[in-house]
Amino acid sequence: KLAVKAVEAKPKKQMKPADVEAEVYKYVKSHPSGIDVADCAESLGVSEGEVQKSINALVKKGKLELG
C-alpha cells in the first residue's frame, strides 16, 4: 500500500520583485550550504521563476555568487 494524502496548494503570494529579492537573499543567507530553488519557492510561497529571477538579479548586484 502507498500512503498518500491530498494537500492544498498554497496560494502564491503577490510580492513586488524587490520584496522577493529580499526574501530570497534572507533564505540563501540562512542556508549557507546552498539552496534548492524549488524548496526556496515553496518556503516563500512564490514561483520557481521568481526565485530564479531574484537570484540572477542578486548575482548581478554582487550580493550573491553562484557556485
Side-chain angles (χ1 to χ4, degrees):
K1 283 188 173 183
L2 180 62
V4 178
K5 68 178 183 177
V7 293
E8 288 187 39
K10 292 181 189 175
K12 301 288 184 215
K13 293 179 187 174
Q14 292 293 337
M15 284 198 271
K16 295 177 186 172
D19 295 336
V20 177
E21 272 184 37
E23 292 300 314
V24 168
Y25 183 72
K26 281 193 252 179
Y27 187 89
V28 171
K29 283 192 63 123
S30 69
H31 295 80
S33 61
I35 68 159
D36 180 86
V37 171
D39 290 343
C40 179
E42 184 177 336
S43 177
L44 300 179
V46 298
S47 72
E48 290 180 38
E50 288 175 288
V51 171
Q52 194 60 59
K53 283 181 193 172
S54 294
I55 290 170
N56 292 340
L58 289 163
V59 167
K60 220 173 179 180
K61 292 175 182 178
K63 292 185 173 187
L64 294 180
E65 289 182 357
L66 296 177

